[in-house]
Amino acid sequence: MGESILRKPGAVCLFAVIVCAFCTMSGRAAQRKEDLMVTKNAPGRFGGSITVAVRSDPKTLNPVLAVDEATREIIDCMNADLIHINRETQQTEPALAKSWSVSRDGRTYTLRLRSGVRFSDGQPFTADDVVFSFELYLDEKIHSSQRDLLIIGGKPISVEKIDDYTVRFQLAQPYAAAERIFDGLAILPRHLLENAYKNGTFAQSWSVSTPAGEFAGLGPFRLKEYVPGQHIALERNPYYWKADLQGCRLPYIDELVFLFVPSEDAQVIRFQAGDTDLLSRFSAQNFAVLQRGQAAKGYKLEDLGPGLEYNFLFFNLDNLADKNLPEIARKQVWFRDVRFRQAVSAAIDREGIVRLVYNGRATPLWSQVTPGNRMWVDASLAHPPQSLDRARELLKNAGFSWNSAGNLMDSHNQSVEFSILTSSSNAERTKMATLIQADLAQLGMNVHVVSLDFGAMVDRLLNSFDYEAAMMGLASGDADPTAEMNVWLSSGGTHLWDLTESKPATPWETQMDQLMNQQLVTMNYVQRKHLYDQVQEIVAQDLPVICLASPHILIGAKDRIGNFHPAILAPYALWNVDELYVQ
Amino acid sequence: MKRRYKLWATFAVLAGFHAAILFAGFLAPYSFSAQDRDAPYAPPSRIHFFDSHGTFHARPFVYGMKDDPENYGTYRVDFQQIYPLRFFVTGAPYKIAGLLASRTHCFGTAPGHVFLMGTDGYGRDQFSRLLYGGQISLAAGWIAAAFSILFGAIIGGLAGFYGGWLDDILMRGGELFLALPWLYFLFAVRAALPLQVAQWQVFLLLVVVIGLIGWARPARLIRGIVMSAKERNFVTAARAFGASDAYLLRRHVLPQAYGVMLTQMTLLVPQYILAEVTLTFLGLGVGEPMPSWGSLLASLQQYYVLASYWWMFLPTVLLIPVFLTYYAAADALQERVKSVAL
């Protein structure tokens, strides 16, 4: 096919339609009519390639085994799920399942699959592939990181094939966000992987050294080549199951290349030099640097507002009875007093953090849900400004006093001195801690900022509990509150401020457990929202974590990229990669 | 004559540097931790004698600045605000060498700000931080060098004086230390320390560790000198008169190595200042808000600082003469030691 034809989208579309028609006519006997999903994007032009940078090489190309972000981002372009969360609307939408119904008790989901869909190697997709895929995700021996999502009410969900294009999922209890768990669960080809699974070699299958011809997926792209340390190139999947309004099969671009660029600064420089077409996950300061060359270099930058990440300060409230840490245990008397935490929160200059740490490209936070989470943020939550007077009053009420030198003393006449742990690899959080250190010095507190490498810090937070206060940031992959269960439930693995609880240690944690468990089984959105609002109010009031700021999601793209609609949910600029085109 | 002149000249310059660092509190207009949250990454203030109308002012002044509405995070000169420079102004309290408390600063403006070298990302005066930072960095250099020389003298002296199996053990041990990947060793030391320890104590400990690890090289040099010195006739004569080993080492042998020790010291000090810079650059140094030369340079790790704020390089540029003077002093000392020996 000549280049000149490729330049005319109309001609190519016509060609594609003819091919489509030909395929359906010739294959009708063996194959059912292809149930293409029609997207609403503006029709683009075919051809060309897009290059993006990721932090590291993929560790595997097996969707069941992938854990880290870079690996997932690459794998997601080659695979598809049954029900997908639209990153722009934050709502679920049909994907490989064209429709679904829920039984009245909220425990049975029946999914109708698209018929006539084929894997990237041309083999048909049926309910058998779905059942097989879920068998893999649920197999304890495979240790898939997604397995936890599929355990509902303490029991794994069960999958059953009704016919070739219908599957039924049974849940042990009603589950409000059940549709959302399907997002990101890639459907795998049974015809390629069943043997490996039966032989017990699944953990070694689809590694980075597997030849490209042995892969097949349902995503918009398939593997073309992988050069370790340099790049991975994906090519257009000719069997992809989406088409645009004109009936042309997506995706538009022929090739998607991921370059491995290990640091943010290096990624910014590569983008500035024109080596990559899209850029996400970079700081506000780098945004300002890029802004200067914007017009001349042919790229545009977008500030999408706050994402889902919330940064916070928290105190060690772990039960240290069986640890030999008397000094920290002594300070925990302050930390456990809600007035002390409220005083710290009142003294923090959140506006200053936004300005100095994020160049103004962040939103101050008083609770865990950011304004970017449109469906779940509690809009009525109070946003008290910094007030040292209020902080002093709270401390006075809690029995603290000041000596002649202005140092804060507790009721046993010990000076208030503690350290804040931060990760040395995160410059922003270290900077926040330094600002907080100066804010709290005004209250007479002597605060040390200790930055350790991330591994050493996490070890102290999760295992030895040898810390006084720490800075952290969390960002769930999904906007729904169920993604936050492990943070707010007292038994949760990310319940950072107190990991030692066998039952809730405080009345407000008891209440938070109840609210979180209740929202999980409440099917009505308004009622759920009301429950989660209360959780946000508890976080703002009792301050298990002192929320500080949410950085804005910043995106850069070359002007020549069409259908570019970045979203605040990962993968920010690539979520509609099947619709992107090169102008 | 010329040689003598060079030695004293370098010493005088070094004394000047050290005095400026020692009197940082007086020379610096602000405290090292004072944040002006309205002025992060403010460029250096220009000192003017003529205002925007061309009128001459006998007292130098700086203009105020305001946010540039078109470019968030940058500033414009506000020609309406004129802040004359004043000398011997009262400002933040400080102590010189931890003893002499005062509030008088060499210069400043009130109201307004004078940032001779701009501000960092927290709106802290870089000039003040450079002076205060020198206190940590120079102390680190001197303490570590002193430890290295002390240890080197003891071990090198013993090895050279007694020779034999003791020499073998000590010198092979020294080679072991030379081969030690000290950076990783320091990471391990830092991770193992408790958090309750004050930052500067941790840092001092690291510096002492560097000094202790670095003894092997001076020890080798001193051993060589001791080995040749102990064969000299006057040493043999003293021994014949019944002098003890300790007396011989102290009075006759080690004094032969004093020149080399002094030269080594002037070489090691800048080397260990750089070690401090490296440690802080890697996040092992003193914690915020205390500055050191290393922490002033650490911000240059970030691309946006490199690309946007040229004044953040100024500390680097100013460190070069300090190091050069140290090396020049070492050179002059070396020549002098040689001439005395001849």
Side-chain angles (χ1 to χ4, degrees):
Chain A
M1 206 185 304
E3 274 290 304
S4 57
I5 300 174
L6 278 175
R7 300 255 175 258
K8 291 184 197 142
V12 178
C13 274
L14 192 65
F15 178 74
V17 171
I18 293 166
V19 172
C20 272
F22 180 72
C23 286
T24 41
M25 274 193 295
S26 62
R28 189 161 288 169
Q31 188 107 33
R32 298 217 351 208
K33 187 183 166 293
E34 200 175 8
D35 219 338
L36 286 177
M37 176 173 164
V38 179
T39 60
K40 295 186 184 70
N41 62 280
R45 59 188 296 166
F46 282 83
S49 83
I50 288 180
T51 305
V52 292
V54 286
R55 286 285 166 91
S56 61
D57 283 52
K59 310 284 177 292
T60 172
L61 290 172
N62 190 325
V64 183
L65 305 173
V67 186
D68 65 300
E69 198 178 23
T71 306
R72 291 222 69 88
E73 192 162 322
I74 297 165
I75 286 179
D76 285 350
C77 293
M78 297 189 278
N79 291 284
D81 40 22
L82 294 170
I83 299 173
H84 194 69
I85 296 170
N86 183 311
R87 301 306 199 251
E88 204 168 31
T89 62
Q90 302 182 3
Q91 309 275 18
T92 50
E93 65 179 22
L96 289 170
K98 62 180 175 185
S99 63
W100 62 91
S101 58
V102 193
S103 67
R104 196 165 291 173
D105 63 359
R107 291 176 46 197
T108 308
Y109 280 73
T110 310
L111 275 62
R112 292 282 305 154
L113 306 180
R114 271 173 215 289
S115 56
V117 171
R118 289 191 279 171
F119 281 95
S120 57
D121 60 354
Q123 295 296 311
F125 153 76
T126 66
D128 291 326
D129 298 302
V130 176
V131 173
F132 172 71
S133 303
F134 278 83
E135 206 177 327
L136 294 174
Y137 288 116
L138 286 167
D139 191 332
E140 275 180 273
K141 278 176 265 160
I142 289 177
H143 302 294
S144 169
S145 62
Q146 287 104 323
R147 186 172 186 272
D148 284 350
L149 293 174
L150 303 175
I151 311 291
I152 289 164
K155 287 201 187 107
I157 63 173
S158 74
V159 196
E160 182 191 356
K161 171 183 170 180
I162 305 298
D163 61 44
D164 265 2
Y165 296 101
T166 314
V167 272
R168 184 181 292 156
F169 292 85
Q170 295 275 3
L171 283 56
Q173 65 176 50
Y175 187 69
E179 297 155 24
R180 302 181 85 92
I181 61 175
F182 294 106
D183 180 84
L185 291 175
I187 301 303
L188 301 161
R190 193 174 81 151
H191 64 275
L192 290 181
L193 291 169
E194 195 175 27
N195 278 339
Y197 180 51
K198 283 192 173 147
N199 300 336
T201 57
F202 182 77
Q204 289 84 48
S205 59
W206 281 15
S207 73
V208 288
S209 53
T210 307
E214 290 176 27
F215 290 94
L218 291 159
F221 296 92
R222 61 185 184 190
L223 183 64
K224 186 177 175 191
E225 62 161 358
Y226 168 55
V227 183
Q230 288 179 27
H231 69 263
I232 185 165
L234 312 182
E235 64 182 0
R236 187 174 185 273
N237 171 9
Y239 302 101
Y240 191 51
W241 45 274
K242 285 190 193 175
D244 65 13
L245 288 168
Q246 295 179 345
C248 296
R249 194 187 292 267
L250 299 178
Y252 293 114
I253 53 172
D254 288 336
E255 198 181 40
L256 178 64
V257 181
F258 291 93
L259 294 183
F260 308 130
V261 185
S263 77
E264 178 196 318
D265 281 350
Q267 290 195 358
V268 168
I269 293 166
R270 295 295 289 267
F271 178 72
Q272 209 172 13
D275 295 348
T276 56
D277 296 300
L278 297 167
L279 181 69
S280 53
R281 296 185 191 89
F282 59 100
S283 71
Q285 283 82 4
N286 277 328
F287 190 89
V289 172
L290 288 171
Q291 259 180 328
R292 267 180 269 144
Q294 198 175 349
K297 289 195 169 132
Y299 58 77
K300 54 181 178 267
L301 295 165
E302 280 189 39
D303 178 346
L304 304 181
L308 298 182
E309 180 183 333
Y310 53 103
N311 288 287
F312 53 85
L313 168 75
F314 65 102
F315 292 99
N316 182 351
L317 305 182
D318 287 301
N319 179 2
L320 301 176
D322 56 346
K323 301 263 176 187
N324 185 23
L325 299 164
E327 186 66 9
I328 299 174
R330 177 178 73 80
K331 294 177 185 179
Q332 280 187 329
V333 178
W334 318 329
F335 304 157
R336 287 188 196 285
D337 191 328
V338 69
R339 290 167 297 186
F340 178 83
R341 299 197 300 270
Q342 285 170 343
V344 169
S345 177
I348 291 173
D349 177 13
R350 290 178 173 80
E351 298 294 337
I353 287 176
V354 166
R355 171 166 186 167
L356 273 73
V357 178
Y358 295 108
N359 239 0
R361 296 193 187 278
T363 301
L365 282 185
W366 285 265
S367 194
Q368 81 274 28
V369 182
T370 73
N373 194 343
R374 295 185 296 268
M375 281 184 69
W376 296 101
V377 66
D378 178 2
S380 61
L381 200 77
H383 294 175
Q386 180 193 28
S387 167
L388 294 173
D389 292 336
R390 187 177 134 68
R392 288 198 188 96
E393 200 177 306
L394 284 161
L395 289 171
K396 215 178 285 169
N397 293 341
F400 291 88
S401 57
W402 286 267
N403 69 8
S404 56
N407 294 322
L408 187 68
M409 311 300 270
D410 69 2
S411 49
H412 298 92
N413 214 27
Q414 301 261 16
S415 75
V416 176
E417 184 174 354
F418 62 88
S419 56
I420 300 179
L421 212 59
T422 71
S423 153
S424 53
S425 57
N426 191 306
E428 278 146 5
R429 257 171 245 143
T430 308
K431 209 166 169 183
M432 274 189 255
T434 308
L435 292 173
I436 291 171
Q437 179 185 43
D439 288 335
L440 298 182
Q442 296 187 66
L443 293 180
M445 295 186 193
N446 188 359
V447 177
H448 307 283
V449 177
V450 181
S451 48
L452 294 178
D453 73 76
F454 190 68
M457 170 174 167
V458 168
D459 182 58
R460 281 173 190 264
L461 298 186
L462 302 185
N463 302 323
S464 68
F465 305 141
D466 185 3
Y467 72 100
E468 291 166 350
M471 303 282 302
M472 248 314 197
L474 289 175
S476 14
D478 185 17
D480 194 88
T482 46
E484 295 270 301
M485 288 296 277
N486 58 346
V487 183
W488 307 112
L489 278 187
S490 59
S491 57
T494 322
H495 190 76
L496 288 167
W497 64 93
D498 187 357
L499 288 160
T500 52
E501 295 175 18
S502 52
K503 57 183 195 323
T506 58
W508 51 266
E509 279 172 297
T510 313
Q511 203 191 345
M512 210 144 64
D513 276 10
Q514 283 165 359
L515 291 166
M516 286 307 287
N517 281 323
Q518 212 180 330
Q519 68 80 23
L520 195 65
V521 294
T522 305
M523 305 303 272
N524 178 297
Y525 165 71
V526 179
Q527 287 168 11
R528 272 187 86 198
K529 171 82 165 62
H530 181 66
L531 294 168
Y532 198 50
D533 281 355
Q534 292 177 57
V535 176
Q536 294 172 54
E537 275 148 34
I538 292 173
V539 173
Q541 191 58 37
D542 292 288
L543 298 165
V545 301
I546 298 174
C547 294
L548 304 167
S550 175
H552 289 182
I553 301 294
L554 307 171
I555 302 282
K558 276 200 188 141
D559 290 333
R560 65 190 189 100
I561 306 293
N563 276 336
F564 173 65
H565 304 296
I568 62 154
L569 299 180
Y572 317 98
L574 282 182
W575 69 274
N576 63 341
V577 64
D578 45 8
E579 296 167 5
L580 296 181
Y581 67 96
V582 181
Q583 279 165 358
Chain B
M1 193 62 211
K2 200 183 159 212
R3 208 180 283 148
R4 168 162 298 200
Y5 170 78
K6 184 181 171 191
L7 185 64
W8 290 118
T10 53
F11 273 19
V13 174
L14 280 181
F17 280 133
H18 285 76
I21 300 300
L22 186 64
F23 292 96
F26 173 68
L27 292 173
Y30 305 104
S31 143
F32 59 82
S33 61
Q35 300 178 352
D36 182 350
R37 291 193 183 175
D38 290 326
Y41 291 121
S45 320
R46 288 198 184 168
I47 294 179
H48 299 266
F49 282 94
F50 293 93
D51 65 20
S52 51
H53 307 294
T55 318
F56 175 75
H57 294 246
R59 186 178 276 283
F61 66 92
V62 293
Y63 282 118
M65 52 177 200
K66 55 187 179 188
D67 285 336
D68 184 345
E70 280 164 31
N71 264 321
Y72 191 84
T74 59
Y75 304 92
R76 278 183 183 171
V77 174
D78 183 357
F79 291 107
Q80 305 307 314
Q81 307 273 3
I82 287 183
Y83 302 121
L85 271 190
R86 306 205 177 274
F87 297 93
F88 302 104
V89 292
T90 307
Y94 61 88
K95 274 183 182 175
I96 285 170
L99 300 169
L100 199 65
S102 172
R103 296 182 73 100
T104 305
H105 293 261
C106 180
F107 68 96
T109 58
H113 290 286
V114 53
F115 301 125
L116 282 188
M117 292 170 60
T119 66
D120 65 5
Y122 300 92
R124 299 182 298 204
D125 181 36
Q126 280 276 93
F127 177 68
S128 303
R129 288 178 65 76
L130 178 75
L131 290 175
Y132 277 108
Q135 297 186 333
I136 294 282
S137 298
L138 289 178
W142 278 92
I143 293 170
F147 266 97
S148 273
I149 299 287
L150 188 73
F151 235 66
I154 294 171
I155 292 179
L158 290 177
F161 193 75
Y162 291 105
W165 61 267
L166 187 68
D167 184 28
D168 277 344
I169 290 178
L170 291 176
M171 286 300 109
R172 294 302 84 74
E175 277 153 22
L176 203 70
F177 271 85
L178 280 178
L180 198 70
W182 58 273
L183 205 56
Y184 298 98
F185 181 71
L186 288 175
F187 271 113
V189 170
R190 178 66 190 88
L193 283 173
L195 296 179
Q196 268 74 16
V197 186
Q199 284 286 296
W200 64 270
Q201 287 172 328
V202 174
F203 177 69
L204 215 65
L205 184 78
L206 292 181
V207 166
V208 170
V209 171
I210 304 180
L212 291 185
I213 293 171
W215 59 266
R217 219 175 286 272
R220 280 184 166 193
L221 281 169
I222 291 163
R223 168 180 168 272
I225 291 170
V226 168
M227 278 178 98
S228 76
K230 74 171 182 186
E231 304 298 333
R232 298 265 186 106
N233 290 338
F234 62 88
V235 178
T236 320
R239 192 189 289 280
F241 281 119
S244 69
D245 285 354
Y247 178 85
L248 282 177
L249 253 177
R250 200 174 73 241
R251 286 301 299 273
H252 294 300
V253 178
L254 277 182
Q256 300 288 313
Y258 282 168
V260 170
M261 284 188 213
L262 206 62
T263 318
Q264 275 295 305
M265 185 86 181
T266 38
L267 277 175
L268 284 177
V269 169
Q271 198 175 319
Y272 287 148
I273 292 174
L274 272 179
E276 181 278 324
V277 171
T278 314
L279 283 184
T280 314
F281 196 76
L282 295 170
L284 285 173
V286 282
E288 291 283 3
M290 207 184 262
S292 78
W293 287 346
S295 67
L296 293 181
L297 300 190
S299 64
L300 293 173
Q301 281 178 52
Q302 280 144 329
Y303 174 59
Y304 72 89
V305 176
L306 279 177
S308 310
Y309 313 114
W310 59 268
W311 55 92
M312 300 300 283
F313 281 97
L314 286 178
T316 334
V317 177
L318 289 174
L319 288 186
I320 294 170
V322 177
F323 292 131
L324 283 182
T325 323
Y326 260 108
Y327 288 125
D331 196 39
L333 257 177
Q334 170 88 15
E335 283 173 24
R336 196 160 155 72
V337 168
K338 259 193 217 155
S339 67
V340 170
L342 287 171

